[in-house]
Amino acid sequence: MSNRLPVDYEEGPDGQIRWKSSPGGLVTALEPVMRAADGAWIGWTGVADRELDPFEHDGISIIPVPLSSRELEEYYEGFSNDTLWPLYHDVIAPPSFHREWWEAYVRVNRRFAEAAARAASDGAVVWVQDYQLQLVPRMLRESRPDLVIGFFNHIPFPAYGIYSQLPWRRQVLDGLLGADVIGFQRAADAGNFSRAVRRLFGYSTRGTVIDVPDADGGSRRVVARHFPISIDAAGFEEIARRPEVQARSREIRESLGNPETIMLGVDRLDYTKGIRHRMKAFGELLRDGRLEVEDATLVQVASPSRERVETYRQLRDEIELAVGRLNGDYSTLGHQAIAYLHHGYPREEMVALYLAADVMLVTALRDGMNLVAKEYVACRFDEDGVLLLSEFTGASDELRQAVLVNPHDIEGLKDAMVEAIRMPRRERARRMRALRKRVRDNDVANWSRSFLETLTGAGIIAPGVPDP
Ligand code: G6P
């Protein structure tokens, strides 16, 4: 179960309902798993005030959970995306704490838990995804103690000093501790979680195992550890090898005026992504004459996201002001400094862009994983292209051969961009080979397999033996 279903709801002019597979990190990661398993996916349809019956889509059984427009505001836009999201991303934006939002979060989590309790067969495995549903594991365990329950947090879990700001910090931890296995992206996230459990509940933790006291005086073992998520690497490479995708990538280069270097940013339009930092650095390189607009273009794809949340509205205005200024100052009639695209694109077009990009810029200020970095690497079967990657992404734990940057350090970011642009071919190939091996060896199938194996094996690990 996840807040958002893997399909998007569309209503035709005739009132006909259509479902479209939706792109996005979480969906990309889980679709192949769901297709292979005889499972049901429980989630919200993306529209408010619609009660929809369960249905099948592309071989996946879908169980929609309804949200009212008030719940959309309070549970989704409010508590999930204006309280938890900024808090868990190191308060890059200030989180808002509202009691009504919390109450809606509890109510909606209960609705999801009830839907799972109805759908799951005896002893079934239920895998709950992400921060929108942190109370579900406990609620589900109470109504269905027979189930095996996993939870995976796709975003960072913050250090205690930040987490402890949450007025409902005990309730959220308790909700999560209803799971048998709690997965995180990085070892540091799992460590932050275990520390919070020790500080707030005093439960004992040994390595990745937490002993959670139960009602009858015994205790349950909960595993909290990292399982870095990944992508369908072979699927991306297959698209990249298609002749028409390669032709499209050449066409993109030409339409940009054949600059020597194309730099690319691909993000949801989110303040965690460091889009302003990368534009500032690029603008200064043009201002200082270290780059010329004829030689280097920045393509920034910023897909629309959470547009009714005020912080996101403000960010869009700021980014678009900066793009306008930069283009006004540095573009010529034949060469644009920044090509800014406020759209989502189909996967084929994204792959063509990845192939066209000499330098991929991932400058997030905080990011659970960042799958764009892995997608870029997976597509570069030509062993060319340079990945510039923020140290504050989960991906940087694995992708050590990227050009690693601290995006807050604008001078360092500028130097890293120049280093990436000027990197000799042999060095680019050496790094890309190592990066590609890493992404191929740890793809999304490995991720789900290792999580599910830990989950289904969780009950049989002998007490006192730390999980490997
Ligand atoms: C992140 C979250 C996902 C979320 C996605 C898109 O990747 O971890 O849970 O679905 O962003 O955000 P949205 O609010 O549109 O679902």
Side-chain angles (χ1 to χ4, degrees), residues 186 278 359-365 367 369-374 376-377 386-407 413 416-417 420 431 435 439:
R186 315 172 89 162
R278 104 183 45 138
V359 178
M360 183 78 215
L361 300 176
V362 177
T363 57
L365 307 176
D367 207 333
M369 175 51 64
N370 197 288
L371 294 177
V372 163
K374 293 188 171 180
Y376 178 66
V377 165
V386 180
L387 173 64
L388 187 146
L389 181 61
S390 162
E391 289 165 26
F392 302 111
T393 61
S396 72
D397 275 10
E398 296 174 82
L399 304 182
R400 305 303 299 170
Q401 291 80 10
V403 175
L404 295 173
V405 293
N406 168 5
L413 187 51
M417 282 181 178
R431 290 181 186 237
L435 292 170
V439 172

Side-chain angles (χ1 to χ4, degrees), residues 250-270:
R250 285 190 293 274
E251 197 178 279
I252 290 171
R253 262 204 114 84
E254 259 157 47
S255 65
L256 291 168
N258 268 321
E260 209 154 290
T261 304
I262 295 175
M263 296 204 278
L264 174 65
V266 173
D267 310 85
R268 269 186 315 101
L269 188 43
D270 195 298

Side-chain angles (χ1 to χ4, degrees), residues 4 26 76 81 85 130-132 154-155 268 306:
R4 207 178 264 285
L26 180 58
Y76 170 72
N81 290 320
W85 182 268
D130 230 358
Y131 63 99
Q132 302 93 342
H154 290 254
I155 67 173
R268 269 186 315 101
R306 306 176 190 166

